[in-house]
Amino acid sequence: MPHSVLWSSGRYISQTKDPLPDLSLVLKVQILTQMDSGGRNVKPWKIAVIIVSVIIGLALIIGLISYFLCHYQDRYYNATFLITNVPYDPQYGRQTTEEFRYLSQEIETTMSKVFKGSFLSRKYIRSHVVALSPDPGGVLVSVALVFKFASADSKATSWSHVNSVLRRRLETSSTFLNVDQSTIKLTELNKENGDNLINNFCGIRKEAFSFSGVERITDGQRARDGEWPWQASIQLDGTHYCGASVISNTWLVTAAHCFKAGREPRRWTASFGILLRPPKQRKYVRRIIIHEKYNGLVPDHEYDIALVELASSIEFTSDVHSVCLPEASYILRDNTSCFVTGWGALRNDGPSVNQLRQAEVKIISTAVCNRPQVYAGVITPGMLCAGYLEGRVDACQGDSGGPLVKANSRGIWYLVGIVSWGDECGKADKPGVYTRVTSYRDWIASKTGI
Ligand code: 4AZ
């Protein structure tokens, strides 16, 4: 230990024992070097400046290291390849057909096996078949792949890892699909294109949400951001009045009876996002199309469907985008589990809530729903019943016009019903009654082209 000088109570003192026992070695070296070289004292403020700069420097280094090691970002890829053992079927041309769903699910399951069984298993998020196109050699597949890579992973390395796993494992991971190896192509999409690609597909949620319990929309489960991105609120003179579903960036579908209170588009606005206040987006209404055959006479609830055209386009994000519409021929089986969502009342005639709620309900057959003690024959083919005969779980006032949705086996959500009516809320033998969307599928297409 060198002979050093320390400032103490206004005097210089000399000492030979360690003068800076509590400081880190780095600091001691810096301070002692300065003291030694100058042979004079170091002012306390200088020591403070040195300490502070060393701390800031260390914090910056630690921050940068942890940012690159622990900060993740989504990276999107588009993979294309040829399947040689499946002949092209014209039904593959439309995303909503059973044929498209079946083959896409097979491909998505294979993708999951390819990456989950590799060293990229923790980085793989999901795959989504974008298109199935005709090819003389079979079916040409285009699939979007989403990964979560650390920011420190270079783009080139990430791409080559995904590419090599895909080439190595695609052939062996499917027992059903024959993939022509020579046709595999992988391109990275930038974030904007990747986000657009995923958000422009109907019925997709940004992550898999788990749901437990069957509770009433009321004191039941609150929805989380991005859980039901197609849910809209339609508001009369600025107040929530009904629910609605986003079916494209300019069209919403809702119930006709919502417009009994007024049909002038300029009195209506639509808001998006799980909170009514503040919403994620808000739009003016350009046009309201009520089903021509809806007459609004109680108790006639037939043709309870309307379309709302927005004055400007919604900006699709992971929190706000469209739900899929089922084909007119789609058959909804009894006892299927569906979800109804809305800002409606917690009890019959109660007020609306600010945060969106959800409830799981089951499809009840029209035969059961038309029983004398239930709705005694008033349920028509254009309606469907959902809920529980024992009551409790149900939609309520203010949920009207909102979505009843069901996920298919690919995890893509379809609008199967529109909250329409019921005898109060949650009563035994009085389940919720919904407009059956498949019955109006062609009507929706005729008005919107969707
Ligand atoms: C309504 O008045 C209403 N329990 C909506 C749904 C149900 C009942 C009433 C279903 O808007």
Side-chain angles (χ1 to χ4, degrees):
M1 171 59 60
H3 184 264
S4 57
V5 185
L6 261 190
W7 176 253
S8 168
S9 340
R11 288 185 299 123
Y12 293 115
I13 53 161
S14 291
Q15 59 181 68
T16 46
K17 58 183 200 29
D18 188 352
L20 300 167
D22 296 330
L23 291 178
S24 77
L25 191 60
V26 180
L27 279 177
K28 279 187 221 169
V29 170
Q30 283 196 356
I31 293 167
L32 295 176
T33 313
Q34 282 203 10
M35 289 188 300
D36 276 348
S37 59
R40 280 172 283 126
N41 67 311
V42 176
K43 299 235 165 46
W45 68 265
K46 277 193 180 167
I47 298 176
V49 167
I50 292 166
I51 293 172
V52 169
S53 15
V54 169
I55 291 173
I56 292 175
L58 283 176
L60 270 175
I61 292 165
I62 292 168
L64 280 173
I65 291 173
S66 53
Y67 176 83
F68 279 108
L69 289 183
C70 310
H71 186 264
Y72 291 90
Q73 54 185 213
D74 286 351
R75 288 195 186 148
Y76 300 88
Y77 302 88
N78 183 242
T80 54
F81 49 86
L82 184 68
I83 295 177
T84 53
N85 63 334
V86 178
Y88 186 76
D89 181 332
Q91 297 291 349
Y92 294 151
R94 273 179 307 141
Q95 301 251 345
T96 45
T97 60
E98 273 304 287
E99 291 78 2
F100 189 100
R101 184 197 56 75
Y102 182 77
L103 185 55
S104 300
Q105 192 184 340
E106 196 65 40
I107 295 162
E108 287 160 3
T109 309
T110 303
M111 286 296 150
S112 180
K113 272 195 221 155
V114 163
F115 292 105
K116 288 275 176 203
S118 78
F119 70 97
L120 292 177
S121 72
R122 283 160 33 118
K123 307 205 163 168
Y124 171 78
I125 298 179
R126 70 153 91 188
S127 65
H128 184 79
V129 172
V130 176
L132 300 172
S133 328
D135 186 279
V139 179
L140 194 59
V141 177
S142 172
V143 53
L145 301 170
V146 189
F147 288 82
K148 218 175 221 359
F149 279 108
S151 303
D153 297 337
S154 87
K155 286 192 171 182
T157 316
S158 309
W159 178 87
S160 79
H161 285 165
V162 174
N163 192 44
S164 69
V165 169
L166 193 62
R167 283 173 193 282
R168 231 179 331 109
R169 295 182 43 88
L170 188 53
E171 212 172 20
T172 52
S173 294
S174 174
T175 47
F176 170 68
L177 303 171
N178 229 329
V179 175
D180 179 348
Q181 283 280 320
S182 67
T183 60
I184 300 176
K185 257 194 232 124
L186 183 77
T187 39
E188 178 165 0
L189 304 168
N190 65 30
K191 178 155 170 49
E192 193 184 332
N193 290 348
D195 277 342
N196 284 343
L197 186 69
I198 296 288
N199 293 334
N200 283 335
F201 274 102
C202 60
I204 291 187
R205 299 208 292 208
K206 70 177 166 193
E207 56 191 85
F209 292 92
S210 62
F211 179 79
S212 57
V214 281
E215 291 160 286
R216 171 177 180 142
I217 228 173
T218 59
D219 37 63
Q221 196 101 7
R222 286 169 199 243
R224 284 163 290 166
D225 257 342
E227 204 165 4
W228 312 103
W230 41 83
Q231 172 86 50
S233 153
I234 50 169
Q235 311 190 344
L236 181 62
D237 302 328
T239 305
H240 169 80
Y241 199 77
C242 268
S245 306
V246 177
I247 56 167
S248 83
N249 55 10
T250 48
W251 286 100
L252 312 180
V253 64
T254 184
H257 81 257
C258 294
F259 300 102
K260 278 185 179 178
R263 293 178 168 217
E264 310 93 317
R266 64 195 158 72
R267 289 185 66 194
W268 291 89
T269 50
S271 83
F272 309 91
I274 58 164
L275 299 180
L276 290 180
R277 290 171 308 277
K280 294 257 182 200
Q281 291 183 51
R282 185 184 286 287
K283 295 287 168 197
Y284 291 107
V285 169
R286 170 173 295 155
R287 188 157 54 123
I288 296 165
I289 303 175
I290 294 168
H291 197 288
E292 302 76 6
K293 292 191 176 157
Y294 177 76
N295 65 21
L297 299 175
V298 178
D300 187 355
H301 303 282
E302 279 266 67
Y303 307 103
D304 194 7
I305 186 167
L307 291 159
V308 173
E309 189 184 11
L310 302 173
S312 58
S313 293
I314 302 168
E315 189 196 329
F316 277 2
T317 64
S318 57
D319 293 332
V320 184
H321 58 249
S322 61
V323 67
C324 300
L325 291 171
E327 301 264 302
S329 58
Y330 173 71
I331 293 165
L332 192 57
R333 279 194 295 272
D334 301 342
N335 215 32
T336 300
S337 172
C338 297
F339 283 85
V340 60
T341 49
W343 291 276
L346 306 188
R347 61 192 141 76
N348 195 44
D349 282 336
S352 290
V353 295
N354 192 45
Q355 184 169 349
L356 187 67
R357 287 177 184 262
Q358 62 192 35
E360 186 178 14
V361 287
K362 300 249 160 110
I363 300 295
I364 296 170
S365 76
T366 300
V368 168
C369 209
N370 266 332
R371 282 180 187 161
Q373 73 276 26
V374 187
Y375 285 119
V378 300
I379 307 301
T380 64
M383 303 175 190
L384 66 84
C385 297
Y388 304 88
L389 291 179
E390 58 272 31
R392 199 171 68 85
V393 184
D394 200 1
C396 207
Q397 290 100 19
D399 293 322
S400 277
L404 176 73
V405 290
K406 176 201 174 292
N408 74 3
S409 54
R410 286 172 74 199
I412 294 176
W413 292 81
Y414 283 81
L415 183 71
V416 293
I418 299 165
V419 179
S420 178
W421 63 279
D423 181 350
E424 298 189 2
C425 313
K427 284 207 315 193
D429 278 339
K430 305 294 171 196
V433 186
Y434 297 76
T435 306
R436 189 184 286 272
V437 172
T438 49
S439 299
Y440 297 97
R441 182 66 189 89
D442 298 336
W443 180 80
I444 294 171
S446 73
K447 302 291 175 189
T448 64
I450 300 163

